[in-house]
């Protein structure tokens, strides 16, 4: 069943269900244990990338049928889940969507191949279903940007001189690229003109940027209450925007804490306290709001109709998570 | 410089050098350390897959220029190296081509992303250079077979009931598939007819099967002298063909050794001794020879000329490694 974010949009909920079904029917390995874990990973999520693709495919003049669109929607989620599986091995994350990760349960061997396998299923679907070879190339270039983003990220870990600009470049690759691929592909397959395609791509980018900043902030958790903020990320030298804003502001107290070799729980709490009290968290929220606002303004210039209304609401709902 | 296997074929050596150059120019990440390791990994190897592709592209009526062929030759090596990098993380191999593996030097994080990145470069090149979208789909399906082979392999590890049939299925996916993709793509881009394409694919398959069996046997090493045969593989429950032939033959001594929980050096030596003395190693060599012979017979039915002569010699040289 589709995620609750779609409950106000039963038609989209149904399309999401079809997309999930298509994904499950595409898994043709004999290794049933791994297949089951992939099915779990592709069930009940927000499926934002397929949803954005489906919404944007309604804006061009060529209205494709869901039989044509659903496989492509599925491909975007498969690409996303493939990167998630590899990220989880890399970060040694024990849980994903409240379930044990593949590498925890079946070892990194299975997890790496499972991610690779999903890349190939994605690749198969777009080779089969995209109407033009040049669109396949656009997918390849997006995927490359995502990977270059991941590899670049490793260069800025543990970097107390990291700047907001570096962070934006990193999440532009890691997250926003796949959102803008999804919205752009929607515009392309519906035969949108150059302006619609460019606008769709920009909207996807802004939604993605806002989404990742918000996600990092949510990871920050109820730091004011529980005192257990994004422990893992900080310990691994991965700084989210609030920390980077503090570092960039030359906040000496924060620099002192984050320069330590091995962060204790107290250090982590102290860093979080600084970031909240000195207003860096609020600044980060404002930046997320600005990206969403830009997206929203551009959405207003898309063709009027149910797709546009749904899109605006979803962008607002994603933003509301930080309020 | 091209590997010594090409020294008798200076023209092919040059084309291989161009292919290597193309690969190096395709690496556009900012992470110079990783880029350097990838350049090392793609230098001086036998480059069999690009070479087979280039040879087979000479058999159809449409003689493409090297400007058109070299990028595609490069793509096949990139796909191969991407799988090698992931295999090395999975097997925790310290060395590859006598150099430290990427994950040993830069951690599994960099290695997994480096492999993923090469997949995307491969994907970009074929999207850009293959003349037909249906050929891209053939690549995707091959890549999927390779991954399904890898995932299936995990099901037969530590399986003392493994059969030669299971082993053949596994190496058909893991190794022969990429060889047959290379030969088939050569026939396709030179606009070969259905018969040439099918024949090329079969030849690639047989060469790949023979190649992997031989590679496993070479891994077996100078077991008669040093007593240090494929230690790692055996300990990881990965049985090569000589062992599987013994298991399938219900050789009780071999079954007893391999059924032990944690194999000591003595156990490994004992297993190797059995496999050599009972003739299973020679049987495996005969099977490799049979695959090479099948390939050779089919090669005789390809268009006469320098490409065919070179191809026959290379197949023979690969086989000679076990004599």
């Amino acid at each position: 069943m589709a995620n609750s974010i779609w409950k106000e949009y039963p038609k989209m909920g149904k399309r999401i269900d079809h997309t999930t079904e298509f994904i499950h029917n595409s898994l043709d390995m004999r290794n049933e244990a791994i297949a089951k874990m992939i099915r779990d990973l592709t069930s009940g999520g927000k499926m934002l990338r397929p949803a954005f693709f489906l919404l944007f495919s309604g804006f061009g003049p060529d209205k494709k049928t869901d039989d044509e669109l659903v496989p492509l929607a599925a491909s975007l989620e498969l690409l996303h889940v493939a990167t998630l599986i590899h990220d989880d091995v890399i970060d040694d994350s024990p849980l994903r969507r409240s379930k044990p990760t593949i590498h925890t349960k079946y070892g990194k061997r299975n997890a790496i191949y499972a991610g690779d396998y999903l890349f190939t299923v994605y690749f198969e679907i777009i080779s089969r279903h995209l109407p033009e070879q040049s669109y396949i190339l656009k997918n390849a270039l997006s995927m490359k940007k995502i990977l270059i983003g991941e590899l670049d990220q490793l260069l800025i870990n543990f970097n107390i001189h990291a700047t907001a600009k570096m962070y934006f470049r990193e999440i532009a690759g890691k997250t926003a690229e796949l959102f803008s691929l999804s919205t752009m592909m929607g515009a392309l397959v519906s035969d949108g003109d150059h302006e619609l395609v460019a606008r769709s791509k920009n909207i996807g980018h802004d939604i993605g940027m806002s989404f990742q900043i918000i996600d990092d902030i949510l990871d920050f958790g109820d730091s004011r209450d529980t005192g257990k903020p994004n422990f893992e990320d900080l310990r691994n030298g991965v700084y989210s925007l609030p920390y980077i804003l503090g570092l960039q502001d030359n906040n000496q107290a924060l620099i002192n804490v984050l320069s330590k070799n091995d962060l204790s729980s107290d250090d982590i709490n102290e860093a979080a306290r600084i970031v909240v009290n000195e207003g860096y968290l609020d600044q980060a929220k404002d930046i997320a709001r600005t990206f969403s606002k830009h997206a929203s303004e551009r959405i207003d210039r898309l063709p009027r109709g149910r797709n546009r209304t749904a899109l605006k609401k979803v962008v607002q709902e994603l933003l509301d998570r930080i309020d």
Side-chain angles (χ1 to χ4, degrees), chain A:
Chain A
M1 279 299 297
N3 187 280
S4 61
I5 196 175
W6 304 114
K7 69 176 186 298
E8 279 187 60
Y9 313 95
K11 201 185 158 220
M12 180 53 84
K14 257 199 183 142
R15 299 173 90 189
I16 294 291
D17 288 341
H18 288 155
T19 304
T20 304
E21 210 178 302
F22 185 90
I23 291 174
H24 293 185
N25 290 336
S26 304
L27 306 174
D28 54 2
M29 70 247 271
R30 277 175 286 261
N31 197 322
E32 177 51 31
I34 304 289
K36 188 183 176 314
M37 296 211 80
I38 295 176
R39 282 199 298 272
D40 286 351
L41 260 179
T42 49
S43 304
K46 288 190 285 293
M47 300 276 277
L48 289 175
R49 295 149 194 87
F52 285 128
F53 167 78
L54 292 169
L55 289 172
F56 278 79
S57 70
F59 293 129
D62 182 3
K63 309 295 180 205
K64 292 269 200 295
T65 65
D66 266 13
D67 281 353
E68 295 167 290
L69 295 171
V70 161
L72 296 169
S75 75
L76 294 158
E77 186 69 11
L78 283 166
L79 177 54
H80 173 55
V81 172
T83 64
L84 287 188
I85 292 174
H86 282 182
D87 288 349
D88 286 342
V89 186
I90 283 164
D91 301 336
D92 226 336
S93 311
L95 294 176
R96 166 73 66 182
R97 294 178 182 166
S98 316
K99 288 175 180 161
T101 45
I102 292 187
H103 74 100
T104 312
K105 214 158 162 188
Y106 294 99
K108 63 179 179 170
R109 184 183 271 263
N110 276 300
I112 295 175
Y113 285 144
D116 289 350
Y117 169 76
L118 290 190
F119 279 132
T120 71
V121 179
Y122 148 76
F123 183 23
E124 178 193 353
I125 295 173
I126 63 170
S127 311
R128 217 185 266 285
H129 294 277
L130 275 176
E132 292 195 23
Q133 187 167 337
S134 65
Y135 299 170
I136 301 181
L137 178 58
K138 280 183 196 297
N139 269 266
L141 293 175
S142 269
M143 197 171 147
K144 203 165 78 165
K145 271 193 203 158
I146 294 168
L147 264 307
I148 290 180
E150 303 271 24
L151 282 162
D152 284 347
Q153 187 188 329
L154 306 178
L155 292 175
I156 67 167
N157 286 355
F158 289 112
N159 182 354
I160 57 163
H161 304 292
T163 62
K165 196 178 157 193
M166 288 158 84
Y167 172 83
F168 292 144
R169 190 174 77 180
E170 176 211 318
I171 68 170
K174 197 179 77 168
T175 308
E177 184 61 31
L178 189 47
F179 278 88
S180 64
L181 177 69
S182 305
T183 53
M184 177 176 66
M185 279 295 135
L188 280 172
V189 300
S190 63
D191 205 21
D193 60 18
H194 180 73
E195 198 190 339
L196 177 66
V197 171
R199 181 168 294 151
S200 301
K201 193 178 167 179
N202 286 331
I203 292 170
H205 172 83
D206 285 342
I207 293 175
M209 296 297 282
S210 170
F211 179 80
Q212 185 60 56
I213 296 169
I214 293 169
D215 236 40
D216 285 353
I217 290 173
L218 293 176
D219 228 27
F220 203 94
D222 314 314
S223 59
R224 281 169 247 213
D225 313 323
T226 68
K228 295 263 182 213
N230 45 5
F231 186 76
E232 277 307 318
D233 272 0
L234 263 194
R235 281 190 81 113
N236 289 327
V238 180
Y239 306 138
S240 60
L241 186 55
Y243 294 98
I244 286 176
L245 292 172
L247 291 170
Q248 196 175 251
D249 193 35
N250 265 311
N251 185 300
Q252 205 50 53
L254 186 64
I255 293 174
N256 289 344
V257 176
L258 295 185
S259 302
K260 290 189 185 178
N261 252 341
D262 210 354
L263 298 186
S264 68
S265 299
D266 281 352
D267 295 331
I268 304 252
N269 290 336
E270 173 63 8
R273 201 194 51 76
I274 296 168
V275 157
V276 173
N277 291 351
E278 307 272 317
Y280 302 123
L281 181 62
D282 285 334
Q283 277 180 42
K285 287 184 180 181
D286 276 342
I287 293 174
R289 284 186 196 103
T290 304
F291 276 113
S292 288
K293 191 165 153 274
H294 283 169
S296 227
E297 284 164 3
R298 285 201 174 96
I299 291 171
D300 287 337
R301 278 175 268 152
L302 290 171
R304 217 178 276 277
R306 277 188 314 177
N307 284 318
R308 194 175 84 174
T309 311
L311 185 57
K312 273 205 91 158
K313 275 198 189 160
V314 171
V315 169
Q316 190 57 47
E317 271 180 50
L318 291 174
L319 185 62
D320 288 346
R321 296 184 299 160
I322 51 171
D323 288 326

